[in-house]
Amino acid sequence: MDAKIIDGREFAAAVRGKVKDHVTRLASEHGIVPGLAVVLVGEDPASQVYVRSKGKATVEAGMKSVEHRLAADTSERELLALVDQLNNDSSIHGILVQLPLPEHLKEDLVVNAIDPAKDVDGFHISNVGLLGTGRKSMVPCTPLGCLMMLRDHHESLSGLEAVIIGRSNIVGRPMAQLLIGDSCTVTVAHSRTRDLPEVVRRADVVVAAVGRPEMVQGNWVKPGATVIDVGINRVDAPERGEGKTRLVGDVDFERALQVAGAITPVPGGVGPMTIACLLANTLTACCRSNGVPEPDGLTV
């Protein structure tokens, strides 16, 4: 029997619906409207698409959306001044500086200039430290979305063995901390892990975030395991015509589908959850800054 397909689009729509309902209650009961500011430096095409999507989703959720589009040659001083301005704007509860930045700008410096309480990407060093020590923090959006889907699928994650393939600061490392927080036994594997297939085979939960198309083979997957595929890779698709491409994950989906208990597809799995969790984080930041209860099920 094929695995259950975890529909990220459907799940993300439900999360956005919960966010919108809570935003409506905040406005009616407290007169508060969460605000998200997105800063885009330069004209990277992919970043422009992401920023438009984030702005549209923010407005649809009933939040205040602010976009700052800066020239590619914007100086570090100018960018940091804008971040400081947003830090001090009480109507803005979440700040996101779209990455990557032009080469002359230091990403770490800019990210760590954001007020940690408004760091809805969860990249500030203070939030990284808080998450790593099991304390309340802003959590990176993609790992948060993965955790939400895992919690929804499993009655409890406690005691499960989880293998994360990939050790990036954006997904792999924070994902490990979140799963440890839910009492999983966690292994962080990577390209230098000895006998990686055997390591993956013992996992009840596999989170693939290594950035290599279809690297995780079907016979690596333990029968009945839950597979969360974070990878988004564009590969040639000659069957669709000359010069055509298609998106695939880090997992050989068709073969893993025959073995796993549940699996996320690519596209339509983890991807839609990232923006949904950005909205959830903005709402959480707003609630924390105003001393009102945080929404259930939208944070950790």
Side-chain angles (χ1 to χ4, degrees), residues 93-95 114-120 124 127 138 281-282 284-286 288-289:
H93 305 95
I95 302 170
I114 298 171
D115 180 345
K118 296 186 178 188
D119 168 38
V120 286
H124 192 287
N127 284 317
M138 297 306 300
N281 276 352
T282 303
T284 296
C286 177
R288 289 176 182 174
S289 70

Side-chain angles (χ1 to χ4, degrees), residues 87-265:
N87 284 340
N88 291 293
D89 186 340
S90 61
S91 72
I92 297 297
H93 305 95
I95 302 170
L96 184 153
V97 177
Q98 183 67 43
L99 303 179
L101 291 172
E103 290 184 1
H104 70 284
L105 299 171
K106 299 183 185 69
E107 290 187 357
D108 284 350
L109 180 66
V110 174
V111 167
N112 289 309
I114 298 171
D115 180 345
K118 296 186 178 188
D119 168 38
V120 286
D121 259 339
F123 294 163
H124 192 287
I125 193 67
S126 294
N127 284 317
V128 173
L130 290 169
L131 179 61
T133 52
R135 299 170 65 187
K136 184 177 288 188
S137 68
M138 297 306 300
V139 178
C141 300
T142 299
L144 177 59
C146 294
L147 183 69
M148 285 182 180
M149 291 191 288
L150 284 168
R151 284 178 171 177
D152 182 72
H153 180 69
H154 290 272
E155 184 174 334
S156 171
L157 295 172
S158 180
L160 296 183
E161 184 153 4
V163 171
I164 300 162
I165 311 171
R167 50 183 169 175
S168 74
N169 292 331
I170 296 174
V171 179
R173 294 172 193 258
M175 190 77 245
Q177 297 298 338
L178 290 172
L179 290 173
I180 288 170
D182 269 28
S183 299
C184 290
T185 299
V186 178
T187 299
V188 178
H190 44 78
S191 60
R192 297 190 180 184
T193 298
R194 293 181 181 177
D195 200 357
L196 181 58
E198 195 58 36
V199 171
V200 176
R201 285 188 191 106
R202 69 178 189 234
D204 303 301
V205 172
V206 178
V207 180
V210 71
R212 295 188 180 183
E214 299 180 325
M215 186 188 83
V216 179
Q217 302 299 302
N219 63 6
W220 294 17
V221 177
K222 177 181 178 180
T226 303
V227 179
I228 304 294
D229 192 349
V230 182
I232 302 178
N233 310 284
R234 191 168 291 279
V235 299
D236 292 336
E239 72 279 4
R240 297 184 176 182
E242 186 177 351
K244 297 295 185 180
T245 61
R246 61 189 176 92
L247 291 178
V248 300
D250 290 350
V251 178
D252 184 340
F253 179 80
E254 294 301 330
R255 289 178 173 81
L257 183 67
Q258 300 168 31
V259 183
I263 188 170
T264 59

Side-chain angles (χ1 to χ4, degrees), residues 268-282:
V270 174
M273 287 297 294
T274 300
I275 290 181
C277 288
L278 173 65
L279 301 178
N281 276 352
T282 303

